[in-house]
Amino acid sequence: MSDSDFLIDLSLLHVRPAEAALPESRAEVENEVVGLFDQYRNRILRYVLSMGLCAHDAEDVSQEVFLSLFRHLRLGRPRQNLPGWIFRVAHNLALKQRQFVQKHQTHRDTALDLPENRADSSGDPEEQLADRERRKRLLAAMRALPERDQWCLYMRAEGLSYREIANALGMSLGAVANSLVRSFERLERVDGR
Amino acid sequence: MSHANPHIPAHELLLAAEGELSARRALQIDQHLGDCAICRERKEQLECLAAGAFRAYRSESDPAVCSDSAARSALIAQMQEISGRRKHPYWLPRMSQAIEPRALALVFGLLLLTGIGINVLPRLMSSRHAVSESEFAFGPVVPNASLTPGAVRAISVGQVCTLESPAETAQIPPSVKKMVFHEYGMDGAPALNYEVDHLITPALGGTDDIRNLWPEPYSSEWNARVKDQLENRLHELVCEGELDLATAQHDIASNWISAYRKYFHTDRPLPADSKLMNPLPASRRIRQLMMDEPRGELIAAIPEVANDFGDYSHPMGAL
């Protein structure tokens, strides 16, 4: 299955015109976007990094997400479930960028270091080692999950509600819950080894 | 609850914790958890697993998440640029604050010399590659990539090549055209001298999104009519299987003048009646043959009138 199969139809987000907010002044919209940027930028960056983008592309995508949000709000488009909208746009842009990179480059460094390369600042060395080993196992298991399950898991890790994830990925609430259960059960098997 | 399995399914435990079950079902689960140690333990296991997985995920990516203050400032400046409240690029003030004046002068001097070396000297040496400086007096012959990066809809080659209905590419509303002029800081510019053009033509899957629109001049050498020639050429190549759609979209969005040079093997715009150019894709040529001859000749001579999609307006109006 190609990445484009997972592209989400943004029009699904549109609500009835009656629910759309009136356009606000530019300054109000700018302030709102900056507020959402402060709240979500690092989460978006981490999420798109987890989708395999390099740091530079992830920065570009996250910046584009908030510019798109600015345009979206300036045009007075629906502001229902903005966290879901933000993640959905980030998800789509990251997929497109990933497709582009895959098409044009055979190899590219990813920004994600392996956890074993990171220093752990506290605790007993044996505990640190065990903790690192566990994280390694869990990360390897997470990367082996089907992509859609990974996205659900990562969005949940970024603090999105089930409803927001469902909206962002175009799934039902039940499908989100089932995806998370599947992931947890697989992680459990790996963790219990 | 089934007698075969008296315990709560895991997905319901998650939905209950999320508050996404009906009040009745949530109450049943709450009561069950009070009585069933196995389900309580299962719920704790799931919570523990989630916490471990989320911690691992965040620890993996955290070091790559860098300071957001620069990105924040850039975003604010970009929004102001879009709103037309900032006349110069957002990076200029930051740069001038960060670098002392003499160093700044040196940097600009070097940039100027590099610019002369890269841009002016080759033009002086070979005028064939030149896009005349005077052309920029007419307006943006190529769009600003930050305002108009291009936007496409999901469309297959088959759909592109059978796209015939003008209704599929409706006229751009005047309010959107006005916004495009505004974004380019061209409020008050004479609208008849410009075509609010799609960077990626709808015939190649481009959308009416404002990110795919810019005010393209009619008067410059590389003008809206010349771009129409390229659009027709790319459409033809795509439909004849000589070029893939994504490449056509990418090339026209990256720099349509370079794409024109590439696909017509020329450095200057070709005259409309050039033998090197098929002004209309095959499907349009067939329809043209069906028209009466005098009108057919006229249409071949004025490509924008021959545009089947109805999204380009000629300043003189339809014939």
Side-chain angles (χ1 to χ4, degrees), chain B residues 97-275:
Chain B
Q97 280 165 14
I99 304 172
E100 68 172 271
R102 270 186 302 181
L104 193 63
L106 183 64
V107 169
F108 274 107
L110 285 171
L111 285 174
L112 188 64
L113 287 173
T114 313
I116 289 170
I118 291 172
N119 293 317
V120 179
L121 290 180
R123 288 181 189 189
L124 288 175
M125 289 162 69
S126 167
S127 63
R128 279 159 35 87
H129 285 275
V131 173
S132 156
E133 295 294 336
S134 64
E135 287 184 18
F136 292 98
F138 295 108
V141 291
V142 289
N144 178 335
S146 64
L147 297 175
T148 315
V152 292
R153 61 185 182 280
I155 191 167
S156 67
V157 173
Q159 288 169 313
V160 160
C161 298
T162 54
L163 189 66
E164 291 190 17
S165 166
E168 291 186 49
T169 54
Q171 290 279 352
I172 299 159
S175 59
V176 175
K177 287 186 179 177
K178 198 174 168 189
M179 197 176 291
V180 171
F181 275 93
H182 182 72
E183 285 206 331
Y184 273 83
M186 292 170 63
D187 287 334
L192 287 180
N193 293 346
Y194 299 89
E195 176 179 315
V196 173
D197 201 359
H198 297 84
L199 176 57
I200 301 171
T201 173
L204 291 171
T207 67
D208 289 340
D209 188 302
I210 195 164
R211 291 170 302 170
N212 194 39
L213 300 171
W214 99 100
E216 185 179 18
Y218 281 112
S219 318
S220 57
E221 184 184 16
W222 293 95
N223 59 45
R225 287 181 281 276
V226 176
K227 184 166 177 288
D228 289 347
Q229 296 170 0
L230 172 67
E231 291 166 1
N232 290 339
R233 176 78 178 142
L234 291 178
H235 188 273
E236 188 171 37
L237 290 172
V238 167
C239 294
E240 288 175 2
E242 291 179 31
L243 182 68
D244 69 77
L245 178 58
T247 305
Q249 291 171 339
H250 174 261
D251 286 357
I252 200 168
S254 300
N255 185 323
W256 74 266
I257 296 175
S258 301
Y260 187 99
R261 288 174 173 146
K262 178 179 168 185
Y263 291 104
F264 283 109
H265 309 289
T266 175
D267 289 313
R268 315 298 315 173
L270 296 170
D273 58 354
S274 168
K275 288 180 181 173

Side-chain angles (χ1 to χ4, degrees), chain A residues 26 30 34 38 41-42 46 59 63 70-71 74 118 135 143 154 156-158 161-163 188, chain B residues 18 20 42 54 57-63 65-66 68 71-72 75 82-83 85 182 211:
Chain A
R26 281 177 196 150
E30 278 177 22
V34 169
D38 291 342
R41 188 257 181 177
N42 281 1
R46 194 160 43 204
E59 294 268 359
Q63 204 74 358
F70 175 64
R71 292 189 192 101
R74 230 186 77 182
R118 312 247 174 79
R135 268 192 286 152
R143 285 181 183 145
Y154 298 157
R156 184 62 177 169
E158 292 302 347
S161 70
Y162 288 17
R163 202 164 279 276
E188 189 173 33
Chain B
E18 184 78 357
E20 288 288 359
R42 182 71 190 133
F54 298 161
Y57 160 82
R58 283 193 285 264
S59 74
E60 180 185 51
S61 313
D62 267 347
V65 176
C66 42
D68 61 2
R72 189 178 193 273
L75 174 70
I82 290 173
S83 302
R85 288 200 280 120
H182 182 72
R211 291 170 302 170

Side-chain angles (χ1 to χ4, degrees), chain A:
Chain A
M1 197 175 277
S2 71
D3 281 348
S4 58
D5 296 325
F6 292 116
L7 282 176
I8 293 151
D9 180 6
L10 284 172
S11 66
L12 292 174
L13 283 170
H14 292 174
V15 293
R16 291 187 300 279
E19 293 171 7
L22 290 172
E24 296 173 57
S25 79
R26 281 177 196 150
E28 279 174 324
V29 172
E30 278 177 22
N31 287 339
E32 186 175 5
V33 172
V34 169
L36 288 163
F37 174 91
D38 291 342
Q39 205 176 343
Y40 288 102
R41 188 257 181 177
N42 281 1
R43 299 189 213 177
I44 289 295
L45 200 50
R46 194 160 43 204
Y47 178 72
V48 296
L49 282 167
S50 76
M51 290 178 72
L53 295 194
C54 72
H56 181 262
D57 288 347
E59 294 268 359
D60 282 352
V61 163
S62 66
Q63 204 74 358
E64 188 52 42
V65 167
F66 290 98
L67 283 177
S68 299
L69 176 66
F70 175 64
R71 292 189 192 101
H72 176 88
L73 295 178
R74 230 186 77 182
L75 291 171
R77 290 187 181 150
R79 50 184 59 247
Q80 206 181 40
N81 192 358
L82 283 181
W85 187 95
I86 289 169
F87 269 85
R88 189 168 196 154
V89 172
H91 179 88
N92 282 345
L93 290 176
L95 277 185
K96 281 184 187 164
Q97 182 60 24
R98 200 173 69 175
Q99 279 177 325
F100 178 81
V101 169
Q102 282 167 353
K103 192 172 172 183
H104 291 85
Q105 282 178 259
T106 51
H107 171 75
R108 190 149 176 174
D109 294 336
T110 59
L112 303 181
D113 307 334
L114 290 174
E116 63 264 37
N117 296 333
R118 312 247 174 79
D120 208 337
S121 58
S122 63
D124 169 34
E126 277 186 28
E127 275 179 30
Q128 283 179 15
L129 182 65
D131 189 49
R132 264 205 306 274
E133 289 301 313
R134 182 178 186 233
R135 268 192 286 152
K136 252 172 78 175
R137 277 198 310 275
L138 289 173
L139 283 171
M142 282 195 267
R143 285 181 183 145
L145 292 170
E147 275 208 307
R148 195 169 278 269
D149 290 346
Q150 285 186 44
W151 299 335
C152 282
L153 195 63
Y154 298 157
M155 284 193 186
R156 184 62 177 169
E158 292 302 347
L160 263 68
S161 70
Y162 288 17
R163 202 164 279 276
E164 286 165 342
I165 297 170
N167 187 293
L169 294 177
M171 301 163 71
S172 68
L173 266 178
V176 172
N178 282 327
S179 163
L180 288 171
V181 168
R182 242 185 344 262
S183 300
F184 292 147
E185 285 174 348
R186 198 177 285 197
L187 295 179
E188 189 173 33
R189 284 198 292 276
V190 170
D191 204 27
R193 274 179 204 160

Side-chain angles (χ1 to χ4, degrees), chain B residues 268-290:
Chain B
R268 315 298 315 173
L270 296 170
D273 58 354
S274 168
K275 288 180 181 173
L276 290 172
M277 180 169 58
N278 270 331
L280 302 175
S283 60
R284 299 188 200 179
R285 285 203 299 273
I286 291 166
R287 281 197 297 281
Q288 185 189 327
L289 288 173
M290 294 165 70

